[in-house]
Amino acid sequence: MFSLIRSSVELQKWRNLRVTVSIVQNAFAFTTKSFSSAIAKDVSPKGTTFTVSYLVESLGLTKKIAESISKKVSFEDKVNPDSVLNLLRSNGLKDSQISRIIRAYPRVLVIDAEKSLRPKLQFLKSRGASSSEVTEIVSNVPTILGKKGEISLSLYCDFVKDIMEDGKSLCHSWPELKKSNRIRDISVLRELGVPHKLLFPFLISRCQPVCGKDKFEETLKKVVDMGFDPKSTFVEALHVVYEMSEKTIEEKVNVYKRLGFSEVDIWAIFKKWPFFLKFSEKKIVMMFETLKKCGLVEEEVISVLKTRPQCIRASEQKILDSIETFLDLGFSRDDFKMMVKRYPQCTAYSAETVRKKFEVLVKKMNWPLEAVVMFPAVLGYSLEKRIVPRSNVIKALISEGLIGSENPPISSVLVCSDQEFLKRYVMKHDKLVPKLMAIFTRVRVSK
């Protein structure tokens, strides 16, 4: 495997990379233990129900997302959460941004708005951040609101601002003794050209950084030599290679080879999704056999995993339940096999999600099962943002006698951009454009 990797280098200019950034352990380090402990103290069984209803009503979150958040933080009244939301809104954050903040850092809802949050927002502005910069910083790295002490907050703020300023050296103003493992890692990754949209998740990740200057240099050089593009899966590869020895990687490669994958296949999938090599032999073999239960032969299983390697993390039971869901809706086993080959993600959807979309696509719109089998990707489209609005427009056109009495092909309606759909079915009907646009945007706006 590594001989193949070494012969597949794509980033020659990084081969002699030297990392010279210093390191000090534990400076505002993110640890899973401390994060979990902080969350545990903020969860109250009594307040869980109230928390769910509050999040749904105040921010329009789905019940599923609200329930997930309530497992991490809960409250029994709306006094403090209301204060937090009002403060964030008064500082220019939109509800969509606030929702993202709460999903990433639920604990913000129980932080004292006046005594803790307001002073922090004011401090960020005092550091020279404009209102729009404060909004972007807080939206992308909400954990900054949990930082204690002006020194820590100041360092964090300056670092995040540097990430957002393309082409600027992250090391230019940073005291060497105040850089943690994570700061050091991100500084070097930024210099390599990793875009800030990938650095932000790394900054707030609960995963541990690569510890030790020598170990970091060694891991970084391996990933560079493997040819990973800094603008794609480079950060994921860094984690995987750091956590796995060459011997372990070779063992995982041999497991896949025994199942029929070629080294070229394995390398291509690893480049696409580095976590492909993180699973145990038992899990790999189990998923291979489970996909065979979908009716796929060995070559088809390999093809599915090459297309969608993330399938391997699904549980056997989830895939078996998925088979039963589709069979209950009237699909045959051959239909299911074909859908998995064309769109492996369909096995990951819950029974409720599949049934809701089936209800609209097949029962209300009368598209045949065969249409869904031919274009199973429609099951991955948003019900509220794509399927329902477009279906309603088509129903209106049929009722007006403008496109005949039968639905256009499902691919023509759903498998295209909004712009193309509007051009195809709305803009050509001059007098009806206002009415059709109202139908098209009604559901989307209300959500």
Side-chain angles (χ1 to χ4, degrees):
M1 176 66 172
F2 274 96
S3 60
L4 176 64
I5 287 173
R6 293 186 185 103
S7 66
S8 303
V9 178
E10 296 173 1
L11 300 179
Q12 294 292 340
K13 63 180 178 178
W14 302 117
R15 270 193 173 278
N16 298 316
L17 177 71
R18 300 297 299 169
V19 180
T20 59
V21 182
S22 297
I23 163 183
V24 167
Q25 300 286 343
N26 302 321
F28 48 85
F30 282 62
T31 64
T32 302
K33 181 178 180 181
S34 62
F35 186 87
S36 300
S37 297
I39 284 179
K41 291 186 291 185
D42 294 318
V43 176
S44 163
K46 183 179 178 181
T48 300
T49 301
F50 178 81
T51 302
V52 172
S53 61
Y54 179 86
L55 293 172
V56 172
E57 294 170 9
S58 299
L59 286 170
L61 299 180
T62 65
K63 185 177 180 181
K64 183 177 180 180
I65 292 175
E67 288 175 343
S68 176
I69 292 173
S70 72
K71 295 176 183 178
K72 300 172 184 176
V73 65
S74 68
F75 36 87
E76 298 175 13
D77 62 63
K78 63 179 184 178
V79 177
N80 198 76
D82 271 355
S83 297
V84 171
L85 297 186
N86 290 336
L87 177 62
L88 294 176
R89 286 165 179 154
S90 69
N91 276 271
L93 282 101
K94 300 176 182 178
D95 278 2
S96 59
Q97 294 172 313
I98 295 174
S99 296
R100 188 164 75 242
I101 289 171
I102 291 172
R103 287 197 295 270
Y105 187 55
R107 190 172 174 274
V108 71
L109 289 169
V110 295
I111 296 178
D112 191 293
E114 292 303 317
K115 294 182 179 180
S116 183
L117 292 183
R118 187 181 296 279
K120 287 173 182 175
L121 292 171
Q122 292 173 340
F123 181 78
L124 292 178
K125 292 179 181 179
S126 74
R127 292 289 303 174
S130 65
S131 295
S132 60
E133 285 177 328
V134 169
T135 296
E136 186 170 3
I137 289 170
V138 173
S139 296
N140 285 292
V141 192
T143 46
I144 198 171
L145 296 174
K147 286 288 141 196
K148 295 181 179 180
E150 289 190 356
I151 294 178
S152 177
L153 188 61
S154 174
L155 289 171
Y156 220 73
C157 174
D158 290 347
F159 187 75
V160 175
K161 283 180 66 179
D162 274 353
I163 290 179
M164 295 190 300
E165 295 179 23
D166 290 342
K168 187 174 183 179
S169 172
L170 292 177
C171 302
H172 70 98
S173 62
W174 280 76
E176 295 297 326
L177 296 179
K178 290 181 178 177
K179 292 176 183 173
S180 69
N181 283 317
R182 193 176 298 274
I183 296 298
R184 176 213 61 217
D185 294 355
I186 296 176
S187 295
V188 177
L189 292 174
R190 183 66 189 87
E191 295 296 334
L192 268 173
V194 177
H196 77 258
K197 69 179 180 180
L198 298 180
L199 294 179
F200 280 133
F202 188 65
L203 186 60
I204 64 175
S205 170
R206 280 189 256 171
C207 295
Q208 287 300 296
V210 178
C211 297
K213 179 175 179 290
D214 292 340
K215 181 65 174 177
F216 180 66
E217 288 186 10
E218 177 189 344
T219 304
L220 191 63
K221 189 176 187 305
K222 283 183 181 179
V223 174
V224 168
D225 285 351
M226 289 177 184
F228 280 91
D229 183 352
K231 292 179 172 57
S232 58
T233 55
F234 193 94
V235 173
E236 293 175 359
L238 192 67
H239 277 302
V240 172
V241 174
Y242 168 65
E243 294 173 354
M244 299 174 67
S245 66
E246 291 194 14
K247 179 182 178 183
T248 302
I249 291 178
E250 293 285 357
E251 290 172 349
K252 298 295 176 65
V253 168
N254 288 333
V255 172
Y256 283 112
K257 288 172 70 174
R258 289 197 293 272
L259 291 172
F261 291 83
S262 69
E263 282 198 348
V264 173
D265 289 336
I266 298 168
W267 170 235
I269 298 172
F270 181 58
K271 289 284 294 294
K272 183 176 184 179
W273 192 57
F275 294 113
F276 184 66
L277 294 181
K278 285 281 288 181
F279 297 94
S280 68
E281 178 176 356
K282 180 179 179 181
K283 174 66 174 175
I284 295 169
V285 174
M286 181 275 290
M287 183 49 55
F288 200 86
E289 294 302 317
T290 301
L291 287 173
K292 283 185 175 180
K293 293 178 182 178
C294 295
L296 305 178
V297 297
E298 181 177 295
E299 292 77 11
E300 291 170 332
V301 173
I302 293 174
S303 177
V304 164
L305 290 176
K306 286 169 65 176
T307 302
R308 180 71 177 175
Q310 293 86 344
C311 287
I312 202 166
R313 63 187 171 194
S315 69
E316 177 182 21
Q317 191 57 52
K318 187 172 183 62
I319 291 180
L320 296 179
D321 289 344
S322 180
I323 295 175
E324 291 306 313
T325 296
F326 281 97
L327 292 179
D328 288 346
L329 291 173
F331 293 92
S332 69
R333 287 189 174 274
D334 283 342
D335 290 337
F336 184 74
K337 170 185 173 180
M338 189 62 66
M339 285 190 286
V340 173
K341 288 173 62 176
R342 290 173 172 160
Y343 187 67
Q345 296 93 315
C346 69
T347 62
Y349 300 133
S350 67
E352 180 183 10
T353 295
V354 173
R355 291 181 189 281
K356 283 182 177 179
K357 293 178 181 180
F358 178 87
E359 183 72 24
V360 176
L361 296 170
V362 178
K363 292 193 174 182
K364 291 186 177 180
M365 290 300 294
N366 293 317
W367 273 307
L369 290 179
E370 292 77 11
V372 179
V373 174
M374 285 294 294
F375 298 96
V378 298
L379 295 172
Y381 297 153
S382 168
L383 197 61
E384 295 81 9
K385 295 180 179 180
R386 182 179 293 206
I387 296 176
V388 171
R390 296 189 185 190
S391 296
N392 287 343
V393 169
I394 297 302
K395 289 169 67 176
L397 291 174
I398 291 176
S399 69
E400 295 283 347
L402 295 173
I403 57 172
S405 59
E406 295 185 2
N407 288 331
I410 196 171
S411 58
S412 174
V413 175
L414 297 178
V415 190
C416 61
S417 66
D418 279 349
Q419 183 179 10
E420 181 60 33
F421 175 81
L422 292 174
K423 178 181 177 182
R424 190 177 293 167
Y425 293 107
V426 175
M427 297 308 174
K428 63 173 61 177
H429 304 291
D430 297 335
K431 294 182 180 179
L432 285 177
V433 168
K435 177 182 177 181
L436 294 174
M437 283 302 298
I439 293 172
F440 181 71
T441 59
R442 186 180 305 142
V443 175
R444 297 159 67 95
V445 170
S446 65
K447 291 294 179 181

